[in-house]
Amino acid sequence: MTSTSSGNYHETSRTWTHIKVLYILNIVLAAVVLALFVVCFMMLLDVQRSHNNEVKLRKDRENQILNSIVENNTGKASSQRAEISTSIDENPESMIVVGDGSLKINAATLTRFCASLHSHCPLRGPTGLQGAPGKPGPKGTKGSQGGVGAVGPKGTPGEPGKTGLSVKGEPGNKGQKGKTGLPGHDGVDGLTGLKGDKGQPGLPGLKGAKGDPGIVNNFTSEQVVVKGEKGEPGLPGLSGKTGMTGLSGSPGLPGPSGSPGEKGSKGDNGIIGPPGLPGEPGDMGLQGPIGLPGVNGIPGSDGLPGATGLSGLIGQKGEKGDAPILTAETLLKYNITQFLKGPIGAKGEPGVVGPPGDTGRRGKRGLKGEPGDAIQCECLIGPPGEKGDPGVCQRSPPTFLLYQNTTIPERKEDLTIKTIGKPVLLRTTDSDWGSWMVDSDPTPTTKDKYYLTYHFTGRSIYEFASKDQFSSKTGNYSKVYNIQDQFYGTGGAIYRGAFYYQSAGLDAIARYDLDSRSKTTQLKIASSLHRGSETLFGTSYNYYDLAVDENGLWALYAYKPDIIEPALPNTLMVSKLEPNYVEIEKTWNVTVSRADYSNAFIAQGILYLLESGTELNSQISFAYDLYSNSEVDLSLPFTNAFRNNRMLSYRPDNKAIMAWDGKNIVVQPILSE
């Protein structure tokens, strides 16, 4: 018991340690994700600023080029018009050649025509198509340099030019600071960090705007500086970066030893850590196809006892005696404590037999009796004549009958369970019914794996890669197997890479290979119980119970009334199975009242029967050694922690009992000698 308690304590301690580590990892992960989000957001802002600066710089350069072009064209046109006007003023009778020389127009006439045209049509028409280049004229004399013209008004922005060559330009000016983003969602509270060192002073604030120019002194043409009013204080400078953490100082000298303090009082229990954040509910899945008709449901639990029946009819009055007979009720009614004993009266006729009373509770198991002598079965048949009653068959059925005499290998361990420990919780489920299994003689496929089936009928077998995955809070499985038919009951078993189970509705034990994902064979046990209200034990969910121990694979089952009559309620069949082809090697017929027990398992070649699966403190009061063909005298206390035991199996590789108690998966260590 000490080792069991220590194991429970260490198991609980490891569980809390795992919870703390997972909580810290979740916080670190949240911090890393938040930091990555901030870095990505800053990078996007930098990219946006760079793009805006490039666009602005491109537009400024295009405006400069357009302004320079307009100024050049305007200067050239003015100089040309000035030259033409000068030549006309100097020689009014000069002629201007138009086109190919066949047409000549007087310069003064052309000038007046153009002037009248401009006066009537002040607006400039749309630019025509470019004409053919004319013949080069004679080289004119060099004119004198004109004065600098006035700066023209700024033109409207031109159409955006075609995309230029991808030549990296000079870096643009720094863009304006972007607007402050929306506040983010509140993050998960992090652990309180250590206080950092004092940071360095922040950078100086931005320089204030330039003031208005001073008043000009008209007499001296000097600028007189007039001191303006004091401007508003500038915006505060940006906060300085947090300084680097300083080096840890050298440890100080140890102080003098103080006097021992008084023993403190026991502290309060620590605060329970906060629960994890609930996940968002998933979307509702599509409606699945209509399933096959289910197997007949289990019968309901027994109802409450009925009301007390009516008393039987009063018997006939006996002959009058010499003295009255006082009943206990009369004595109590009249407070009679002393009286003279009279003679006993004649015995009256018996009354009508009343209805049978309710069945009483099962008594304690009596001491083991001496083995009795076998009596041959003889049928006493009445004399011939008219059809009479059938004869009565008087026989004494054997307590344990060796049904099939086939040699099997000797057992691997000759031990008997002496103690069963308290249940240790591995995980919880949402189902009151189910079975969990481990392959005690595994293949590479099933090594270190855990397996689970839900309810007492279905098609799916869920595989878990390790004990940690199986016992985790999420309980996510790594693989699922779907058998071709349906299993029934919570008595399935995993052995040597295969799942053994009762095919629902059939009197057969099937083998499903996990590697090939196929049903390889099945064993038909004709006329065995396989459906209906009559079940293997006093519970209503198993017709067959597959068991595994150090010696191999076993099957527990029972026959219908027409096979073994009248000993059906007191007959339990136990067969040793060959696992590859599911063939019976040897069978025992154990005479025991199956309805008085709730479940069974086989360990080290011994059959153990559990009395109750719904009482908190139950016991294993029956055991039978299948190798020595003898009953084992024992009484083992057994705890049903959740008072709803639906499955019981033995795990030979680590010497423990596996159980499904209510919605809880538990394991109970054992001690054998």
Side-chain angles (χ1 to χ4, degrees):
M1 294 301 293
T2 304
S3 62
T4 304
S5 301
S6 176
N8 294 342
Y9 173 78
H10 289 298
E11 188 73 16
T12 305
S13 177
R14 284 194 298 270
T15 302
W16 278 107
T17 302
H18 292 166
I19 292 173
K20 291 178 181 178
V21 171
L22 290 176
Y23 181 73
I24 293 174
L25 289 177
N26 287 336
I27 293 175
V28 172
L29 181 60
V32 171
V33 172
L34 182 61
L36 291 175
F37 176 79
V38 172
V39 170
C40 294
F41 183 75
M42 296 301 295
M43 292 176 64
L44 289 175
L45 288 179
D46 291 338
V47 171
Q48 185 66 27
R49 291 195 198 99
S50 301
H51 177 70
N52 293 340
N53 291 337
E54 290 178 0
V55 172
K56 183 178 179 182
L57 182 62
R58 189 184 301 117
K59 289 184 178 180
D60 291 340
R61 294 181 63 183
E62 290 174 355
N63 291 337
Q64 291 177 1
I65 294 172
L66 289 174
N67 291 337
S68 62
I69 293 173
V70 171
E71 290 175 0
N72 293 336
N73 292 338
T74 303
K76 290 180 180 179
S78 300
S79 60
Q80 290 176 359
R81 287 196 298 269
E83 290 176 359
I84 294 173
S85 300
T86 303
S87 61
I88 292 173
D89 292 339
E90 292 176 353
N91 189 8
E93 298 298 326
S94 61
M95 303 296 289
I96 296 176
V97 179
V98 180
D100 57 354
S102 60
L103 178 63
K104 295 182 179 180
I105 301 174
N106 185 271
T109 303
L110 181 60
T111 301
R112 288 193 297 273
F113 173 78
C114 291
S116 62
L117 181 63
H118 281 286
S119 61
H120 288 88
C121 301
L123 298 178
R124 183 177 181 181
T127 304
L129 298 176
Q130 184 177 2
K135 295 180 180 180
K139 184 177 181 181
T141 58
K142 184 177 181 181
S144 59
Q145 184 176 358
V148 179
V151 178
K154 185 176 181 180
T156 58
E159 296 291 333
K162 297 181 179 179
T163 304
L165 298 176
S166 58
V167 179
K168 185 176 181 181
E170 298 179 357
N173 297 329
K174 186 175 181 181
Q176 296 180 355
K177 185 177 180 181
K179 295 182 180 180
T180 304
L182 297 175
H185 298 290
D186 295 336
V188 180
D189 294 337
L191 299 176
T192 305
L194 300 176
K195 186 175 181 180
D197 296 335
K198 186 176 181 181
Q200 298 179 358
L203 299 175
L206 300 176
K207 187 176 181 180
K210 186 176 181 181
D212 297 328
I215 301 174
V216 179
N217 191 338
N218 295 328
F219 296 98
T220 60
S221 298
E222 294 181 357
Q223 185 173 349
V224 179
V225 179
V226 179
K227 187 174 182 181
E229 297 180 357
K230 186 176 181 180
E232 297 180 356
L235 298 174
L238 301 176
S239 300
K241 298 181 179 179
T242 304
M244 301 293 292
T245 304
L247 300 176
S248 302
S250 58
L253 297 176
S257 301
S259 58
E262 297 179 358
K263 185 176 180 180
S265 59
K266 185 177 180 181
D268 298 332
N269 294 332
I271 301 174
I272 299 176
L277 298 176
E280 297 180 357
D283 297 332
M284 181 178 294
L286 298 176
Q287 183 176 359
I290 298 174
L292 298 175
V295 184
N296 293 335
I298 59 173
S301 57
D302 295 337
L304 298 175
T308 304
L310 299 175
S311 302
L313 300 176
I314 301 174
Q316 297 178 358
K317 187 176 182 180
E319 296 179 0
K320 185 176 181 180
D322 296 335
I325 299 175
L326 299 177
T327 63
E329 295 179 355
T330 305
L331 295 176
L332 294 174
K333 181 176 180 180
Y334 298 101
N335 195 20
I336 300 174
T337 58
Q338 295 181 357
F339 55 89
L340 297 175
K341 183 177 181 181
I344 300 174
K347 185 177 181 181
E349 294 295 329
V352 179
V353 179
D358 297 334
T359 303
R361 291 177 58 86
R362 182 174 182 266
K364 294 184 179 179
R365 184 177 183 84
L367 298 177
K368 182 178 180 182
E370 297 295 331
D373 297 330
I375 299 177
Q376 298 295 328
C377 176
E378 295 181 358
C379 294
L380 303 179
I381 304 175
E386 295 181 359
K387 186 176 181 181
D389 297 331
V392 178
C393 182
Q394 298 178 352
R395 63 181 177 180
S396 176
T399 303
F400 306 105
L401 172 64
L402 192 62
Y403 179 74
Q404 187 170 339
N405 190 10
T406 304
T407 303
I408 60 174
E410 295 183 358
R411 76 169 110 210
K412 296 183 179 180
E413 294 182 6
D414 188 4
L415 298 172
T416 304
I417 298 176
K418 297 299 182 182
T419 305
I420 299 178
K422 298 296 182 181
V424 178
L425 180 65
L426 287 185
R427 62 170 290 173
T428 59
T429 68
D430 295 329
S431 177
D432 288 322
W433 309 78
S435 175
W436 66 284
M437 299 154 286
V438 177
D439 194 344
S440 299
D441 190 5
T443 63
T445 302
T446 59
K447 183 177 177 57
D448 299 327
K449 304 293 196 308
Y450 282 68
Y451 297 89
L452 190 69
T453 60
Y454 287 105
H455 218 266
F456 54 81
T457 184
R459 292 183 174 178
S460 299
I461 311 164
Y462 299 94
E463 179 183 279
F464 299 81
S466 64
K467 179 181 178 181
D468 291 338
Q469 185 185 29
F470 179 72
S471 58
S472 65
K473 287 186 176 181
T474 56
N476 294 329
Y477 55 86
S478 57
K479 190 181 296 184
V480 62
Y481 301 88
N482 293 312
I483 61 179
Q484 286 79 9
D485 51 2
Q486 284 188 319
F487 65 83
Y488 188 86
T490 60
I494 298 286
Y495 184 63
R496 292 185 181 178
F499 175 53
Y500 297 87
Y501 61 98
Q502 179 206 349
S503 293
L506 301 179
D507 53 353
I509 298 173
R511 180 185 186 274
Y512 177 83
D513 186 79
L514 298 177
D515 279 332
S516 63
R517 292 177 175 264
S518 62
K519 180 178 176 180
T520 58
T521 185
Q522 70 177 18
L523 169 66
K524 181 177 177 60
I525 304 178
S527 300
S528 59
L529 295 177
H530 60 279
R531 61 183 175 185
S533 60
E534 183 84 25
T535 54
L536 183 59
F537 296 112
T539 51
S540 303
Y541 47 88
N542 274 344
Y543 299 106
Y544 296 82
D545 196 356
L546 283 304
V548 175
D549 75 343
E550 292 82 357
N551 306 289
L553 182 64
W554 305 80
L556 281 65
Y557 55 96
Y559 280 114
K560 294 179 180 180
D562 55 350
I563 301 301
I564 301 178
E565 179 68 33
L568 172 67
N570 300 321
T571 301
L572 174 63
M573 309 303 296
V574 181
S575 293
K576 180 76 167 57
L577 300 180
E578 191 284 322
N580 294 326
Y581 302 100
V582 195
E583 296 177 347
I584 294 178
E585 296 179 342
K586 192 170 185 177
T587 298
W588 292 258
N589 176 0
V590 181
T591 302
V592 65
S593 179
R594 294 182 286 102
D596 292 338
Y597 299 93
S598 65
N599 222 319
F601 64 90
I602 296 177
Q604 297 150 344
I606 299 177
L607 171 67
Y608 296 88
L609 300 183
L610 175 65
E611 286 188 359
S612 173
T614 57
E615 295 181 1
L616 176 63
N617 298 313
S618 184
Q619 65 175 344
I620 295 176
S621 59
F622 180 88
Y624 179 67
D625 192 332
L626 299 170
Y627 282 81
S628 65
N629 296 316
S630 61
E631 186 178 355
V632 181
D633 187 15
L634 54 72
S635 179
L636 298 175
F638 190 92
T639 302
N640 297 301
F642 302 94
R643 304 186 183 186
N644 198 10
N645 197 315
R646 302 296 190 183
M647 163 246 168
L648 202 62
S649 294
Y650 171 65
R651 183 176 176 182
D653 57 341
N654 67 349
K655 303 295 186 289
I657 302 297
M658 305 185 296
W660 189 299
D661 195 353
K663 297 181 180 180
N664 306 282
I665 292 176
V666 298
V667 61
Q668 296 174 249
I670 65 171
L671 178 63
S672 301
E673 294 180 1

